[in-house]
Amino acid sequence: MFSERTGYIVWVNDWKAARNLEKYGNVHYISRKMHYVVIYLNSERAEDTLRNVQRLPYVKKIERSYRNEIKTEYSSNVPDKTRFYSL
């Protein structure tokens, strides 16, 4: 039902021109101060799309986001230390 998506961070020279990246994928966030865009692309067509995005004159570099590879399930194997700090 849902296609697999991959996140990329696109560093740009001009954040106003970066709004044009919406036609290549799903723009999640645009940073005006640091001049980067977080964009999600379809995994099957990501390589072709990245080649086209890299050719744009306002794009400096593209980095892959590793957010989907970070473990989000946590276990509490550490003992609870709240009893040591109570009065």
Side-chain angles (χ1 to χ4, degrees):
M1 182 174 185
F2 293 110
S3 61
E4 189 68 29
R5 298 187 318 160
T6 307
Y8 290 93
I9 292 103
V10 181
W11 296 91
V12 294
N13 293 326
D14 184 17
W15 65 268
K16 286 185 179 179
R19 288 184 277 178
N20 294 330
L21 290 174
E22 290 180 352
K23 62 183 177 181
Y24 294 102
N26 186 9
V27 174
H28 181 70
Y29 180 73
I30 298 176
S31 172
R32 294 180 180 181
K33 186 176 181 180
M34 295 182 64
H35 296 280
Y36 72 90
V37 177
V38 177
I39 187 170
Y40 286 95
L41 304 173
N42 191 355
S43 294
E44 292 123 18
R45 293 181 280 149
E47 292 180 18
D48 299 331
T49 307
L50 287 178
R51 272 190 248 122
N52 293 335
V53 170
Q54 186 66 43
R55 293 179 186 154
L56 296 173
Y58 53 87
V59 173
K60 284 194 261 185
K61 77 177 176 181
I62 300 174
E63 297 177 0
R64 187 166 162 256
S65 173
Y66 295 102
R67 183 169 188 221
N68 59 350
E69 297 175 7
I70 296 174
K71 187 178 93 171
T72 57
E73 296 177 6
Y74 307 105
S75 63
S76 62
N77 294 337
V78 180
D80 188 21
K81 295 183 180 181
T82 55
R83 62 186 170 115
F84 295 117
Y85 299 112
S86 63
L87 296 175

